[in-house]
Amino acid sequence: MKKWIKALLISGMVLSLGLTGCANNGGSSPNSGDSGDKGAAPQEPAKQVELIVSAAASLKNSLEEIQKDYAAKEPNVKLTFNMGASGTLQQQIENGAPADLFISAGKSQVDALLAKNLMDKDSVVDLLGNDLVLVVGANDTNVNSIQDLSKESVKQIGIGTPESVPAGKYAKEAFTSLKLWDTLEPKFVQAKDVTQVLNYVETGNAEAGVVYKSDAQGSTKVKVVEAFPADSHKAITYPAGIVSATKEKEAANAFLTYLKSSDAQDIFAKFGFKTNLSK
């Protein structure tokens, strides 16, 4: 009897050892050779970054193309443009509106933000230039010069509001220099930005308008009558820089560097701007 019990115990131990060996040699074992087939852990996708760019309305068409070009170069960066009059954009930034970069059509707006430490002084650059021109409807034959605006037949002239729209400020400087401001002032229809001025002329709500060359170039419904003399107003400059409150300074700086590159400058030039390459 004792020999029989002893035989059963030995048999059980052998069976137990056999099962343990199977477990150690199976595919589910931590030490099995299958662990090398799992490969490296998958990498996390690159972080998506959104940059909000507050930019003068006159940049709309060129920035839309810039957006496509930059998306191809930096697919993880989403560009969101807030377009408007430079003065309005300045006020928005002063009031805490989200913005990572600011491209103004005038220096005074950027200078005002710098004075309040709302822009990174070291980042600010003169990005572009432009010309101030007089436009009329594409089929207009009545106005052939700036002086023709004094004709009785010209009832309304669109200009940007001088206090908030740089193009309007330049227009006032030019007309004053040409001794026409007082004579023409009753005819002026003030607009919130140059895009609206252009629309006034395109729709016939104004016989003429003062816009940038780049705006006129983008419309088939108007024609340029004459460019205002360069010495009749301050040089038209588009300064750009990083807003101090940005939380994406590295991405903002990279985009600003791109805006100064030949790729971006070629796009701006195509839309009628003076660039660092053409000056």
Side-chain angles (χ1 to χ4, degrees), residues 120-163:
D120 180 353
K121 182 178 180 180
D122 293 335
S123 72
V124 175
V125 295
D126 289 340
L127 187 65
L128 302 166
N130 219 326
D131 291 316
L132 194 69
V133 299
L134 177 68
V135 296
V136 297
N139 299 318
D140 183 281
T141 57
N142 184 46
V143 178
N144 298 298
S145 69
I146 295 171
Q147 296 296 331
D148 282 349
L149 294 176
S150 299
K151 289 182 177 180
E152 191 174 334
S153 57
V154 177
K155 305 295 183 183
Q156 294 184 309
I157 305 165
I159 66 168
T161 303
E163 291 74 25

mmCIF file of all heavy atoms in Angstrom, residues 120-163:
data_model
loop_
_atom_site.group_PDB
_atom_site.id
_atom_site.type_symbol
_atom_site.label_atom_id
_atom_site.label_comp_id
_atom_site.label_asym_id
_atom_site.label_seq_id
_atom_site.Cartn_x
_atom_site.Cartn_y
_atom_site.Cartn_z
ATOM 1 N N ASP A 120 6.832 91.510 -29.189
ATOM 2 C CA ASP A 120 8.245 91.216 -28.960
ATOM 3 C C ASP A 120 9.078 92.131 -29.858
ATOM 4 O O ASP A 120 9.111 91.957 -31.078
ATOM 5 C CB ASP A 120 8.505 89.746 -29.296
ATOM 6 C CG ASP A 120 9.956 89.336 -29.101
ATOM 7 O OD1 ASP A 120 10.798 90.224 -28.820
ATOM 8 O OD2 ASP A 120 10.264 88.142 -29.251
ATOM 9 N N LYS A 121 9.726 93.098 -29.241
ATOM 10 C CA LYS A 121 10.476 94.112 -29.991
ATOM 11 C C LYS A 121 11.520 93.502 -30.920
ATOM 12 O O LYS A 121 11.693 93.938 -32.065
ATOM 13 C CB LYS A 121 11.141 95.084 -29.021
ATOM 14 C CG LYS A 121 11.913 96.207 -29.693
ATOM 15 C CD LYS A 121 12.513 97.151 -28.669
ATOM 16 C CE LYS A 121 13.280 98.285 -29.355
ATOM 17 N NZ LYS A 121 13.883 99.212 -28.350
ATOM 18 N N ASP A 122 12.212 92.479 -30.447
ATOM 19 C CA ASP A 122 13.295 91.882 -31.233
ATOM 20 C C ASP A 122 12.789 91.125 -32.466
ATOM 21 O O ASP A 122 13.567 90.828 -33.376
ATOM 22 C CB ASP A 122 14.108 90.930 -30.353
ATOM 23 C CG ASP A 122 14.865 91.663 -29.255
ATOM 24 O OD1 ASP A 122 15.154 92.853 -29.438
ATOM 25 O OD2 ASP A 122 15.156 91.036 -28.220
ATOM 26 N N SER A 123 11.499 90.805 -32.487
ATOM 27 C CA SER A 123 10.960 90.030 -33.614
ATOM 28 C C SER A 123 10.443 90.908 -34.756
ATOM 29 O O SER A 123 10.258 90.433 -35.874
ATOM 30 C CB SER A 123 9.811 89.129 -33.136
ATOM 31 O OG SER A 123 8.648 89.890 -32.837
ATOM 32 N N VAL A 124 10.212 92.192 -34.494
ATOM 33 C CA VAL A 124 9.557 93.064 -35.472
ATOM 34 C C VAL A 124 10.471 93.359 -36.661
ATOM 35 O O VAL A 124 11.625 93.753 -36.498
ATOM 36 C CB VAL A 124 9.097 94.376 -34.814
ATOM 37 C CG1 VAL A 124 8.522 95.333 -35.859
ATOM 38 C CG2 VAL A 124 8.050 94.088 -33.739
ATOM 39 N N VAL A 125 9.918 93.151 -37.861
ATOM 40 C CA VAL A 125 10.659 93.420 -39.104
ATOM 41 C C VAL A 125 9.747 94.168 -40.077
ATOM 42 O O VAL A 125 8.534 94.063 -40.003
ATOM 43 C CB VAL A 125 11.142 92.114 -39.772
ATOM 44 C CG1 VAL A 125 12.149 91.403 -38.905
ATOM 45 C CG2 VAL A 125 9.959 91.194 -40.093
ATOM 46 N N ASP A 126 10.360 94.935 -40.972
ATOM 47 C CA ASP A 126 9.614 95.549 -42.069
ATOM 48 C C ASP A 126 9.486 94.498 -43.163
ATOM 49 O O ASP A 126 10.445 94.214 -43.880
ATOM 50 C CB ASP A 126 10.334 96.799 -42.584
ATOM 51 C CG ASP A 126 10.262 97.951 -41.595
ATOM 52 O OD1 ASP A 126 9.357 97.925 -40.725
ATOM 53 O OD2 ASP A 126 11.096 98.869 -41.674
ATOM 54 N N LEU A 127 8.307 93.915 -43.276
ATOM 55 C CA LEU A 127 8.120 92.755 -44.136
ATOM 56 C C LEU A 127 7.895 93.113 -45.597
ATOM 57 O O LEU A 127 8.464 92.493 -46.498
ATOM 58 C CB LEU A 127 6.929 91.937 -43.621
ATOM 59 C CG LEU A 127 6.671 90.594 -44.286
ATOM 60 C CD1 LEU A 127 7.821 89.622 -44.014
ATOM 61 C CD2 LEU A 127 5.347 90.005 -43.769
ATOM 62 N N LEU A 128 7.061 94.141 -45.846
ATOM 63 C CA LEU A 128 6.651 94.465 -47.210
ATOM 64 C C LEU A 128 6.481 95.964 -47.395
ATOM 65 O O LEU A 128 6.512 96.733 -46.434
ATOM 66 C CB LEU A 128 5.305 93.785 -47.533
ATOM 67 C CG LEU A 128 5.218 92.268 -47.415
ATOM 68 C CD1 LEU A 128 3.767 91.825 -47.418
ATOM 69 C CD2 LEU A 128 5.981 91.608 -48.551
ATOM 70 N N GLY A 129 6.277 96.341 -48.654
ATOM 71 C CA GLY A 129 5.933 97.713 -48.992
ATOM 72 C C GLY A 129 4.792 97.706 -49.994
ATOM 73 O O GLY A 129 4.361 96.643 -50.459
ATOM 74 N N ASN A 130 4.286 98.904 -50.346
ATOM 75 C CA ASN A 130 3.172 98.984 -51.291
ATOM 76 C C ASN A 130 3.135 100.375 -51.906
ATOM 77 O O ASN A 130 3.864 101.276 -51.475
ATOM 78 C CB ASN A 130 1.847 98.682 -50.581
ATOM 79 C CG ASN A 130 0.892 97.858 -51.434
ATOM 80 O OD1 ASN A 130 0.853 98.005 -52.652
ATOM 81 N ND2 ASN A 130 0.114 96.989 -50.793
ATOM 82 N N ASP A 131 2.283 100.541 -52.901
ATOM 83 C CA ASP A 131 2.048 101.845 -53.525
ATOM 84 C C ASP A 131 0.594 102.234 -53.320
ATOM 85 O O ASP A 131 -0.290 101.369 -53.269
ATOM 86 C CB ASP A 131 2.346 101.801 -55.029
ATOM 87 C CG ASP A 131 3.827 101.638 -55.328
ATOM 88 O OD1 ASP A 131 4.644 102.322 -54.678
ATOM 89 O OD2 ASP A 131 4.173 100.824 -56.208
ATOM 90 N N LEU A 132 0.344 103.530 -53.206
ATOM 91 C CA LEU A 132 -1.006 104.053 -53.059
ATOM 92 C C LEU A 132 -1.506 104.496 -54.434
ATOM 93 O O LEU A 132 -0.825 105.269 -55.122
ATOM 94 C CB LEU A 132 -1.008 105.229 -52.083
ATOM 95 C CG LEU A 132 -2.369 105.701 -51.557
ATOM 96 C CD1 LEU A 132 -2.959 104.637 -50.620
ATOM 97 C CD2 LEU A 132 -2.218 107.034 -50.819
ATOM 98 N N VAL A 133 -2.682 104.007 -54.833
ATOM 99 C CA VAL A 133 -3.184 104.307 -56.178
ATOM 100 C C VAL A 133 -4.642 104.747 -56.144
ATOM 101 O O VAL A 133 -5.387 104.423 -55.217
ATOM 102 C CB VAL A 133 -3.048 103.091 -57.123
ATOM 103 C CG1 VAL A 133 -1.591 102.690 -57.278
ATOM 104 C CG2 VAL A 133 -3.886 101.922 -56.638
ATOM 105 N N LEU A 134 -5.019 105.463 -57.188
ATOM 106 C CA LEU A 134 -6.413 105.857 -57.397
ATOM 107 C C LEU A 134 -7.035 104.893 -58.390
ATOM 108 O O LEU A 134 -6.474 104.650 -59.456
ATOM 109 C CB LEU A 134 -6.485 107.291 -57.949
ATOM 110 C CG LEU A 134 -7.899 107.801 -58.284
ATOM 111 C CD1 LEU A 134 -8.717 107.978 -57.014
ATOM 112 C CD2 LEU A 134 -7.825 109.111 -59.068
ATOM 113 N N VAL A 135 -8.188 104.329 -58.038
ATOM 114 C CA VAL A 135 -8.873 103.400 -58.939
ATOM 115 C C VAL A 135 -10.274 103.899 -59.251
ATOM 116 O O VAL A 135 -10.895 104.619 -58.462
ATOM 117 C CB VAL A 135 -8.965 101.975 -58.340
ATOM 118 C CG1 VAL A 135 -7.588 101.375 -58.159
ATOM 119 C CG2 VAL A 135 -9.741 101.971 -57.022
ATOM 120 N N VAL A 136 -10.753 103.496 -60.432
ATOM 121 C CA VAL A 136 -12.134 103.763 -60.853
ATOM 122 C C VAL A 136 -12.681 102.474 -61.460
ATOM 123 O O VAL A 136 -11.947 101.491 -61.624
ATOM 124 C CB VAL A 136 -12.202 104.910 -61.896
ATOM 125 C CG1 VAL A 136 -11.715 106.218 -61.288
ATOM 126 C CG2 VAL A 136 -11.387 104.555 -63.139
ATOM 127 N N GLY A 137 -13.951 102.465 -61.798
ATOM 128 C CA GLY A 137 -14.537 101.300 -62.432
ATOM 129 C C GLY A 137 -13.823 100.964 -63.728
ATOM 130 O O GLY A 137 -13.295 101.858 -64.416
ATOM 131 N N ALA A 138 -13.802 99.699 -64.090
ATOM 132 C CA ALA A 138 -13.047 99.240 -65.262
ATOM 133 C C ALA A 138 -13.457 99.954 -66.548
ATOM 134 O O ALA A 138 -12.631 100.134 -67.453
ATOM 135 C CB ALA A 138 -13.217 97.734 -65.418
ATOM 136 N N ASN A 139 -14.706 100.374 -66.647
ATOM 137 C CA ASN A 139 -15.196 101.013 -67.877
ATOM 138 C C ASN A 139 -15.315 102.528 -67.753
ATOM 139 O O ASN A 139 -15.839 103.191 -68.660
ATOM 140 C CB ASN A 139 -16.562 100.421 -68.264
ATOM 141 C CG ASN A 139 -16.481 98.931 -68.545
ATOM 142 O OD1 ASN A 139 -15.541 98.472 -69.190
ATOM 143 N ND2 ASN A 139 -17.462 98.176 -68.063
ATOM 144 N N ASP A 140 -14.831 103.090 -66.686
ATOM 145 C CA ASP A 140 -14.935 104.530 -66.459
ATOM 146 C C ASP A 140 -13.997 105.290 -67.398
ATOM 147 O O ASP A 140 -12.832 104.918 -67.560
ATOM 148 C CB ASP A 140 -14.589 104.855 -65.007
ATOM 149 C CG ASP A 140 -14.749 106.327 -64.683
ATOM 150 O OD1 ASP A 140 -13.852 107.121 -65.030
ATOM 151 O OD2 ASP A 140 -15.780 106.680 -64.084
ATOM 152 N N THR A 141 -14.504 106.340 -68.001
ATOM 153 C CA THR A 141 -13.679 107.191 -68.883
ATOM 154 C C THR A 141 -13.677 108.639 -68.401
ATOM 155 O O THR A 141 -13.072 109.507 -69.035
ATOM 156 C CB THR A 141 -14.194 107.138 -70.329
ATOM 157 O OG1 THR A 141 -15.568 107.549 -70.360
ATOM 158 C CG2 THR A 141 -14.081 105.734 -70.903
ATOM 159 N N ASN A 142 -14.340 108.897 -67.300
ATOM 160 C CA ASN A 142 -14.501 110.261 -66.812
ATOM 161 C C ASN A 142 -13.313 110.729 -65.981
ATOM 162 O O ASN A 142 -12.912 111.893 -66.052
ATOM 163 C CB ASN A 142 -15.787 110.352 -65.970
ATOM 164 C CG ASN A 142 -16.072 111.769 -65.503
ATOM 165 O OD1 ASN A 142 -15.984 112.714 -66.287
ATOM 166 N ND2 ASN A 142 -16.425 111.909 -64.233
ATOM 167 N N VAL A 143 -12.737 109.817 -65.191
ATOM 168 C CA VAL A 143 -11.621 110.175 -64.314
ATOM 169 C C VAL A 143 -10.334 109.598 -64.872
ATOM 170 O O VAL A 143 -10.147 108.383 -64.939
ATOM 171 C CB VAL A 143 -11.860 109.638 -62.884
ATOM 172 C CG1 VAL A 143 -10.670 109.975 -61.989
ATOM 173 C CG2 VAL A 143 -13.145 110.208 -62.303
ATOM 174 N N ASN A 144 -9.454 110.494 -65.280
ATOM 175 C CA ASN A 144 -8.183 110.068 -65.889
ATOM 176 C C ASN A 144 -6.961 110.557 -65.122
ATOM 177 O O ASN A 144 -5.832 110.337 -65.552
ATOM 178 C CB ASN A 144 -8.111 110.578 -67.331
ATOM 179 C CG ASN A 144 -9.227 110.002 -68.197
ATOM 180 O OD1 ASN A 144 -9.303 108.788 -68.374
ATOM 181 N ND2 ASN A 144 -10.105 110.862 -68.712
ATOM 182 N N SER A 145 -7.194 111.205 -64.003
ATOM 183 C CA SER A 145 -6.087 111.692 -63.177
ATOM 184 C C SER A 145 -6.612 111.981 -61.778
ATOM 185 O O SER A 145 -7.834 112.047 -61.558
ATOM 186 C CB SER A 145 -5.471 112.964 -63.765
ATOM 187 O OG SER A 145 -6.391 114.047 -63.638
ATOM 188 N N ILE A 146 -5.716 112.183 -60.858
ATOM 189 C CA ILE A 146 -6.115 112.531 -59.494
ATOM 190 C C ILE A 146 -6.832 113.873 -59.497
ATOM 191 O O ILE A 146 -7.827 114.067 -58.774
ATOM 192 C CB ILE A 146 -4.880 112.564 -58.575
ATOM 193 C CG1 ILE A 146 -4.260 111.159 -58.460
ATOM 194 C CG2 ILE A 146 -5.239 113.099 -57.192
ATOM 195 C CD1 ILE A 146 -2.924 111.110 -57.745
ATOM 196 N N GLN A 147 -6.376 114.791 -60.310
ATOM 197 C CA GLN A 147 -6.988 116.119 -60.375
ATOM 198 C C GLN A 147 -8.437 116.052 -60.857
ATOM 199 O O GLN A 147 -9.266 116.897 -60.498
ATOM 200 C CB GLN A 147 -6.166 117.021 -61.297
ATOM 201 C CG GLN A 147 -4.749 117.314 -60.825
ATOM 202 C CD GLN A 147 -4.691 118.098 -59.527
ATOM 203 O OE1 GLN A 147 -5.601 118.877 -59.227
ATOM 204 N NE2 GLN A 147 -3.637 117.890 -58.737
ATOM 205 N N ASP A 148 -8.769 115.034 -61.653
ATOM 206 C CA ASP A 148 -10.133 114.899 -62.169
ATOM 207 C C ASP A 148 -11.160 114.628 -61.074
ATOM 208 O O ASP A 148 -12.374 114.738 -61.314
ATOM 209 C CB ASP A 148 -10.213 113.764 -63.200
ATOM 210 C CG ASP A 148 -9.672 114.176 -64.558
ATOM 211 O OD1 ASP A 148 -9.430 115.387 -64.763
ATOM 212 O OD2 ASP A 148 -9.481 113.286 -65.403
ATOM 213 N N LEU A 149 -10.697 114.271 -59.887
ATOM 214 C CA LEU A 149 -11.624 114.031 -58.782
ATOM 215 C C LEU A 149 -12.371 115.304 -58.391
ATOM 216 O O LEU A 149 -13.423 115.241 -57.739
ATOM 217 C CB LEU A 149 -10.862 113.496 -57.564
ATOM 218 C CG LEU A 149 -10.220 112.114 -57.726
ATOM 219 C CD1 LEU A 149 -9.410 111.754 -56.478
ATOM 220 C CD2 LEU A 149 -11.287 111.056 -57.980
ATOM 221 N N SER A 150 -11.853 116.444 -58.808
ATOM 222 C CA SER A 150 -12.502 117.721 -58.514
ATOM 223 C C SER A 150 -13.692 117.986 -59.430
ATOM 224 O O SER A 150 -14.467 118.927 -59.181
ATOM 225 C CB SER A 150 -11.493 118.877 -58.647
ATOM 226 O OG SER A 150 -10.420 118.722 -57.737
ATOM 227 N N LYS A 151 -13.853 117.172 -60.470
ATOM 228 C CA LYS A 151 -14.984 117.353 -61.385
ATOM 229 C C LYS A 151 -16.311 117.230 -60.635
ATOM 230 O O LYS A 151 -16.462 116.429 -59.716
ATOM 231 C CB LYS A 151 -14.944 116.310 -62.500
ATOM 232 C CG LYS A 151 -13.836 116.490 -63.515
ATOM 233 C CD LYS A 151 -13.935 115.407 -64.588
ATOM 234 C CE LYS A 151 -12.896 115.587 -65.679
ATOM 235 N NZ LYS A 151 -13.002 114.526 -66.717
ATOM 236 N N GLU A 152 -17.279 118.014 -61.079
ATOM 237 C CA GLU A 152 -18.598 117.987 -60.451
ATOM 238 C C GLU A 152 -19.279 116.630 -60.614
ATOM 239 O O GLU A 152 -20.097 116.225 -59.789
ATOM 240 C CB GLU A 152 -19.467 119.098 -61.068
ATOM 241 C CG GLU A 152 -20.760 119.337 -60.328
ATOM 242 C CD GLU A 152 -21.536 120.537 -60.868
ATOM 243 O OE1 GLU A 152 -20.903 121.454 -61.433
ATOM 244 O OE2 GLU A 152 -22.774 120.536 -60.738
ATOM 245 N N SER A 153 -18.927 115.913 -61.689
ATOM 246 C CA SER A 153 -19.546 114.618 -61.966
ATOM 247 C C SER A 153 -19.110 113.537 -60.974
ATOM 248 O O SER A 153 -19.760 112.497 -60.862
ATOM 249 C CB SER A 153 -19.210 114.171 -63.391
ATOM 250 O OG SER A 153 -17.808 114.112 -63.582
ATOM 251 N N VAL A 154 -18.009 113.779 -60.286
ATOM 252 C CA VAL A 154 -17.540 112.823 -59.284
ATOM 253 C C VAL A 154 -18.211 113.178 -57.954
ATOM 254 O O VAL A 154 -17.933 114.213 -57.360
ATOM 255 C CB VAL A 154 -16.005 112.866 -59.141
ATOM 256 C CG1 VAL A 154 -15.555 111.902 -58.041
ATOM 257 C CG2 VAL A 154 -15.336 112.530 -60.462
ATOM 258 N N LYS A 155 -19.082 112.295 -57.505
ATOM 259 C CA LYS A 155 -19.869 112.570 -56.300
ATOM 260 C C LYS A 155 -19.295 111.915 -55.047
ATOM 261 O O LYS A 155 -19.368 112.473 -53.954
ATOM 262 C CB LYS A 155 -21.307 112.071 -56.499
ATOM 263 C CG LYS A 155 -21.993 112.626 -57.729
ATOM 264 C CD LYS A 155 -22.199 114.125 -57.642
ATOM 265 C CE LYS A 155 -22.963 114.643 -58.861
ATOM 266 N NZ LYS A 155 -23.104 116.131 -58.831
ATOM 267 N N GLN A 156 -18.731 110.710 -55.197
ATOM 268 C CA GLN A 156 -18.247 109.972 -54.036
ATOM 269 C C GLN A 156 -16.891 109.324 -54.303
ATOM 270 O O GLN A 156 -16.683 108.719 -55.364
ATOM 271 C CB GLN A 156 -19.265 108.901 -53.624
ATOM 272 C CG GLN A 156 -20.590 109.478 -53.103
ATOM 273 C CD GLN A 156 -21.525 108.403 -52.610
ATOM 274 O OE1 GLN A 156 -21.776 107.428 -53.319
ATOM 275 N NE2 GLN A 156 -22.049 108.567 -51.408
ATOM 276 N N ILE A 157 -16.019 109.453 -53.310
ATOM 277 C CA ILE A 157 -14.672 108.888 -53.390
ATOM 278 C C ILE A 157 -14.443 108.037 -52.136
ATOM 279 O O ILE A 157 -14.539 108.540 -51.009
ATOM 280 C CB ILE A 157 -13.602 110.001 -53.449
ATOM 281 C CG1 ILE A 157 -13.881 110.965 -54.602
ATOM 282 C CG2 ILE A 157 -12.204 109.391 -53.571
ATOM 283 C CD1 ILE A 157 -13.106 112.279 -54.506
ATOM 284 N N GLY A 158 -14.160 106.773 -52.322
ATOM 285 C CA GLY A 158 -13.952 105.897 -51.179
ATOM 286 C C GLY A 158 -12.529 105.977 -50.637
ATOM 287 O O GLY A 158 -11.569 105.929 -51.409
ATOM 288 N N ILE A 159 -12.416 106.133 -49.323
ATOM 289 C CA ILE A 159 -11.107 106.074 -48.665
ATOM 290 C C ILE A 159 -11.282 105.356 -47.326
ATOM 291 O O ILE A 159 -12.374 105.327 -46.751
ATOM 292 C CB ILE A 159 -10.471 107.468 -48.427
ATOM 293 C CG1 ILE A 159 -11.300 108.271 -47.410
ATOM 294 C CG2 ILE A 159 -10.302 108.236 -49.726
ATOM 295 C CD1 ILE A 159 -10.590 109.522 -46.900
ATOM 296 N N GLY A 160 -10.221 104.786 -46.838
ATOM 297 C CA GLY A 160 -10.275 104.176 -45.513
ATOM 298 C C GLY A 160 -10.352 105.258 -44.444
ATOM 299 O O GLY A 160 -9.863 106.375 -44.630
ATOM 300 N N THR A 161 -10.983 104.929 -43.331
ATOM 301 C CA THR A 161 -11.068 105.885 -42.220
ATOM 302 C C THR A 161 -9.651 106.213 -41.738
ATOM 303 O O THR A 161 -8.935 105.316 -41.265
ATOM 304 C CB THR A 161 -11.876 105.276 -41.057
ATOM 305 O OG1 THR A 161 -13.169 104.911 -41.539
ATOM 306 C CG2 THR A 161 -12.019 106.265 -39.917
ATOM 307 N N PRO A 162 -9.219 107.472 -41.873
ATOM 308 C CA PRO A 162 -7.813 107.817 -41.569
ATOM 309 C C PRO A 162 -7.374 107.465 -40.156
ATOM 310 O O PRO A 162 -6.199 107.154 -39.924
ATOM 311 C CB PRO A 162 -7.776 109.336 -41.793
ATOM 312 C CG PRO A 162 -8.867 109.589 -42.786
ATOM 313 C CD PRO A 162 -9.954 108.623 -42.428
ATOM 314 N N GLU A 163 -8.301 107.471 -39.203
ATOM 315 C CA GLU A 163 -7.935 107.218 -37.810
ATOM 316 C C GLU A 163 -7.613 105.755 -37.530
ATOM 317 O O GLU A 163 -6.903 105.449 -36.565
ATOM 318 C CB GLU A 163 -9.058 107.677 -36.867
ATOM 319 C CG GLU A 163 -9.251 109.176 -36.787
ATOM 320 C CD GLU A 163 -9.915 109.765 -38.034
ATOM 321 O OE1 GLU A 163 -10.646 109.019 -38.734
ATOM 322 O OE2 GLU A 163 -9.697 110.962 -38.307
#
